[in-house]
Amino acid sequence: ACSSCKGRGGTVQTCSSCQGRGVTVVDRRFGGSVVRTQRACDSCGGAGETLVDRCSKCRGEGVVKEPGHSINVKIPPNARDGYATTQKGAGDDVFYDGGHVRRDVTVVVEEESHAELQRVGSDLVCAKRVPLLDALTGFAIDVPTVQREDKRGKAFVVRADAG
């Protein structure tokens, strides 16, 4: 949230159309009876207050994106689709009348499908066809990995000797 306007977007005042209630009441006559309805105020959109002077720091948005603001999140190697972890107090500040609170950030893992790798339990499986002649005389074949390279910076290669 913007620290300058405390997340309000600027200077606000009570809406003059709804007197801060956020709704307007409309009376309609049908014959000898009156039907009263209420709806969100058109002037304030139901907020009960209107923006009088936009904050120059957040331009009336109430939030400011801070460049370079990041958090470190540890995701376990075998995390499955839907795995979630919460970082307490790592989110934006939210201001209210009595002060402010820093929100939590929840990160949810979404697995993407891979053209050559499939998850089987905790393992990643890659099926490759090896011609019989290569299987008998020896071969080397590149195998895709999630990290694309091993710890030495080399592509993962499976080698088999003749026989």
Side-chain angles (χ1 to χ4, degrees):
C2 177
S3 58
S4 181
C5 66
K6 301 201 181 332
R8 299 189 88 175
T11 307
V12 295
Q13 72 179 21
T14 302
C15 177
S16 59
S17 297
C18 66
Q19 286 74 44
R21 291 188 311 262
V23 294
T24 54
V25 178
V26 178
D27 291 335
R28 292 193 180 138
R29 292 195 176 275
F30 291 105
S33 61
V34 176
V35 175
R36 177 172 280 184
T37 58
Q38 66 180 23
R39 63 179 187 180
C41 176
D42 291 332
S43 298
C44 66
E49 48 190 25
T50 55
L51 193 59
V52 178
D53 186 30
R54 289 188 187 280
C55 173
S56 60
K57 186 174 181 182
C58 68
R59 295 187 178 110
E61 296 296 320
V63 293
V64 177
K65 290 187 180 183
E66 298 175 26
H69 180 78
S70 63
I71 60 171
N72 291 322
V73 179
K74 290 190 178 191
I75 306 291
N78 289 331
R80 297 187 171 278
D81 191 47
Y83 172 84
T85 181
T86 300
Q87 302 291 310
K88 300 279 187 195
D92 290 332
D93 288 324
V94 175
F95 294 90
Y96 56 94
D97 291 337
H100 81 282
V101 64
R102 185 161 277 235
R103 304 289 294 265
D104 299 337
V105 172
T106 299
V107 177
V108 180
V109 172
E110 292 182 4
E111 278 185 27
E112 291 184 359
S113 60
H114 191 278
E116 296 182 81
L117 297 172
Q118 290 80 40
R119 181 190 280 267
V120 177
S122 294
D123 299 321
L124 290 178
V125 176
C126 175
K128 291 277 191 176
R129 289 189 168 268
V130 178
L132 179 59
L133 182 61
D134 289 346
L136 295 172
T137 60
F139 66 92
I141 189 169
D142 288 339
V143 177
T145 65
V146 176
Q147 296 173 334
R148 292 180 180 52
E149 296 176 345
D150 68 6
K151 293 177 185 174
R152 299 177 315 261
K154 311 245 181 187
F156 189 74
V157 178
V158 174
R159 298 182 195 284
D161 293 331

